[in-house]
Amino acid sequence: MFTSIYIITTPDIELINLSQLLHPQISVCCHLNIFKMSSMDTPSNTLQDSDLHDLGLSDDEPETATSVLNKFQTAWINEKLSPEILSYQGDYVECLMEQIKHMDNNVRKLDKRDLRSGLHALELSRIKYMLTDYLRVRLEKIEKYTYTILEAESSRSGDNLFLSEGEFQFAKDFFGNTQTALQTIALRHFPRPLASFDPAKMSVQPPMNSYVFVKAKKEVSGLIVPTHDPEEQDEELDLEENSQHILPYSSVAALVKDGTIMLI
Amino acid sequence: MDTCEVEFLAERELISITPNFDLGVLHLISGDFGPFKAGLPAEVPLWLAINLRQRRKCRIMPPIWLNVKTLEEIKERETQEKLFTKMPSEHFMEVAQLLLTAASEDIPQAGEIKVVLKDIWDSRQAKTRASCSLLLQDGGKHARVDNLTLMEINSVRPLLPHSMDMIRRLQMESSMEAQISQTQGSSFASPSQ
């Protein structure tokens, strides 16, 4: 399911004085294949490295907690600024959650007067803010575009799902509850010909043509920017690497999803 | 995006500090920082620097561009050029603001710096406003906004994309009306006939 391996340097090894942790510990975290490794160079590390080779997983780019954090930050900003819901970055979220839990435990073991405890706690609250805001923004979108999102989700399958399990359940519940509420409060008092409700006609669509600011991470050539005047030709545009533009979201939606450009 | 969230992003920029404590390498999730030796400079993220500064654990070394001379040069260039010039940092305004608030004693000529920064900000805002209105008048479909910093983009965020969207909708409606009147052309003759 998750192909990438997170080789994560346990940032806490020096925090703990327990003897069993003096040697770097390697454990597989939750359903992610996160290999926790200490930054200390010890024989057991190299052993595990060769294990990785044996597993044939060495081709995957090793990811550190820092690179996961950076990628998640981009995903968070994209999600905040895009009009439609993007695919759920479950592996990043879970990886960071795991890190936070781990770090939380270690910080608690530290003396309150220790300088490090405050600094670690501060970093944790910064990451927690990003995580919660990411989830919050997604829930807001689900509440707003429930029908459209559910409809789109039902056409996707397996690995391409955009919502997490919890979000999908929430969307279904929210949709059902809204309909029940409309039914009991208003619709059943209406004359019969008017008492039916078609969510397809009533639902709100995300404004896909709204304008967004983007930054190209790689060069893009031949991007089509549609004009809405039939007499004018659609414009074609080349984006240089690292250039910034304002464009209609619909013209770059696919590029945002594959990570060629990011929203700013 | 909220202004304080733009600041939040700026707080990940790295900055040099001179600590007055000794500490080994600090293994944060966002990377390893240190080791810290009293009196020796170390590089840390801005949020860490400000936190340490507030607890009087370090002195902050202002970034190389945060001095009156460099900023005056930037201001000069900014007023001469018609386009936006490149700023020394993508978060220059936020970084400067945060440092001037949290550690103004560590920055020489903090008062003058504030004035020059305000001038740079104002002249860039004036350019932003002028180019926004130009873009809207031309009915542009896209624009290149190189060298605009995140804070500046955020300052035009609700208004500019919204107006462009509105213009697009109006254009779409008028072209649809034109199509309808074309197809029904004969039956809807002009009222003068």
Side-chain angles (χ1 to χ4, degrees):
Chain A
M1 205 167 67
F2 298 109
T3 48
S4 50
I5 303 174
Y6 298 95
I7 298 177
I8 285 163
T9 46
T10 35
D12 42 55
I13 228 73
E14 51 133 22
L15 301 184
I16 315 160
N17 283 327
L18 303 174
S19 57
Q20 75 262 34
L21 284 180
L22 285 176
H23 288 288
Q25 241 197 354
I26 289 139
S27 62
V28 177
C29 288
C30 54
H31 2 285
L32 280 171
N33 304 325
I34 302 176
F35 288 82
K36 296 209 154 168
M37 293 184 165
S38 123
S39 49
M40 291 178 226
D41 200 16
T42 60
S44 65
N45 244 354
T46 33
L47 185 81
Q48 288 295 323
D49 266 340
S50 61
D51 280 357
L52 286 184
H53 284 284
D54 289 346
L55 287 168
L57 293 167
S58 55
D59 289 349
D60 290 310
E61 204 182 310
E63 301 221 40
T64 59
T66 313
S67 75
V68 171
L69 185 66
N70 290 340
K71 282 181 188 164
F72 177 72
Q73 181 176 308
T74 314
W76 168 53
I77 297 169
N78 277 349
E79 188 69 64
K80 268 180 101 64
L81 298 175
S82 88
E84 63 167 342
I85 201 158
L86 301 173
S87 89
Y88 178 63
Q89 301 296 329
D91 29 1
Y92 295 157
V93 173
E94 273 168 44
C95 177
L96 287 176
M97 295 276 244
E98 194 65 29
Q99 287 287 309
I100 288 176
K101 224 166 81 189
H102 208 72
M103 192 65 102
D104 234 356
N105 281 332
N106 292 330
V107 170
R108 239 173 265 151
K109 285 178 201 151
L110 274 176
D111 188 354
K112 278 272 177 292
R113 280 163 302 175
D114 196 318
L115 181 62
R116 289 170 298 178
S117 84
L119 300 179
H120 279 292
L122 184 60
E123 185 190 38
L124 286 181
S125 41
R126 287 175 62 86
I127 299 176
K128 277 182 199 159
Y129 172 74
M130 269 163 63
L131 278 172
T132 46
D133 195 62
Y134 176 71
L135 298 174
R136 186 168 45 231
V137 169
R138 289 179 64 84
L139 286 181
E140 270 166 22
K141 284 185 190 167
I142 292 175
E143 283 187 11
K144 209 164 169 189
Y145 312 123
T146 325
Y147 180 76
T148 326
I149 288 175
L150 277 174
E151 194 71 347
E153 192 69 359
S154 65
S155 66
R156 298 188 190 103
S157 64
D159 293 343
N160 302 325
L161 290 177
F162 269 31
L163 303 184
S164 74
E165 231 168 86
E167 285 171 341
F168 187 60
Q169 192 58 43
F170 173 78
K172 275 199 302 196
D173 291 350
F174 186 80
F175 185 61
N177 292 341
T178 323
Q179 273 199 313
T180 322
L182 287 174
Q183 197 69 40
T184 47
I185 292 166
L187 282 176
R188 66 193 173 102
H189 304 296
F190 280 17
R192 179 136 314 161
L194 297 174
S196 69
F197 173 75
D198 183 4
K201 279 185 196 152
M202 304 293 287
S203 64
V204 189
Q205 304 277 342
M208 296 293 280
N209 279 315
S210 61
Y211 281 80
V212 288
F213 288 96
V214 304
K215 179 173 192 156
K217 287 205 259 177
K218 290 177 209 147
E219 199 182 307
V220 180
S221 53
L223 185 74
I224 307 283
V225 182
T227 57
H228 301 280
D229 198 338
E231 283 152 38
E232 278 179 55
Q233 287 247 309
D234 285 352
E235 285 180 62
E236 212 176 299
L237 201 64
D238 294 334
L239 310 186
E240 281 169 39
E241 193 178 333
N242 282 330
S243 59
Q244 304 183 145
H245 303 262
I246 176 168
L247 297 162
Y249 178 74
S250 55
S251 60
V252 291
L255 295 172
V256 171
K257 282 171 199 153
D258 72 17
T260 316
I261 65 172
M262 61 182 281
L263 301 177
I264 50 173
Chain B
M1 217 195 285
D2 221 31
T3 316
C4 50
E5 278 164 336
V6 179
E7 201 175 85
F8 179 87
L9 294 174
E11 282 169 354
R12 289 202 64 188
E13 296 272 293
L14 295 180
I15 189 162
S16 294
I17 58 165
T18 326
N20 57 17
F21 57 91
D22 289 335
L23 188 70
V25 179
L26 190 63
H27 297 287
L28 293 175
I29 297 178
S30 49
D32 294 348
F33 299 101
F36 301 96
K37 268 250 175 283
L40 285 181
E43 215 168 48
V44 293
L46 193 54
W47 60 266
L48 195 72
I50 287 175
N51 185 268
L52 288 174
R53 181 67 182 75
Q54 282 164 346
R55 298 204 244 165
R56 306 193 178 283
K57 295 275 185 203
C58 74
R59 283 175 61 83
I60 290 179
M61 305 180 14
I64 39 166
W65 48 267
L66 195 63
N67 59 62
V68 178
K69 192 164 163 280
T70 319
L71 288 174
E72 283 286 358
E73 281 165 20
I74 292 173
K75 179 183 153 190
E76 193 64 26
R77 226 178 33 218
E78 189 63 52
T79 36
Q80 277 170 4
E81 295 231 1
K82 263 182 84 182
L83 295 169
F84 290 94
T85 55
K86 191 166 170 47
M87 287 290 116
S89 155
E90 218 174 301
H91 298 286
F92 82 100
M93 204 58 200
E94 302 93 296
V95 171
Q97 190 65 39
L98 284 165
L99 288 181
L100 288 171
T101 320
S104 55
E105 297 128 54
D106 296 352
I107 301 164
Q109 295 177 286
E112 284 99 321
I113 289 182
K114 272 186 199 166
V115 177
V116 191
L117 269 173
K118 180 87 173 72
D119 288 347
I120 297 176
W121 177 257
D122 284 348
S123 79
R124 285 175 71 91
Q125 281 290 300
K127 276 187 201 176
T128 319
R129 277 192 292 272
S131 35
C132 278
S133 86
L134 201 67
L135 179 66
L136 289 174
Q137 276 165 13
D138 287 357
K141 309 287 182 299
H142 61 81
R144 199 169 160 154
V145 289
D146 280 358
N147 294 339
L148 266 185
T149 63
L150 215 52
M151 192 58 114
E152 287 155 345
I153 287 178
N154 209 45
S155 73
V156 292
R157 176 108 57 204
L159 193 60
L160 180 67
H162 204 86
S163 326
M164 286 174 80
D165 200 32
M166 213 38 154
I167 291 179
R168 182 190 59 84
R169 282 188 206 190
L170 291 173
Q171 275 176 346
M172 232 162 73
E173 248 158 59
S174 67
S175 68
M176 249 158 64
E177 260 168 39
Q179 271 179 353
I180 292 171
S181 62
Q182 261 177 16
T183 50
Q184 298 175 338
S186 50
S187 51
F188 283 96
S190 63
S192 61
Q193 282 182 333

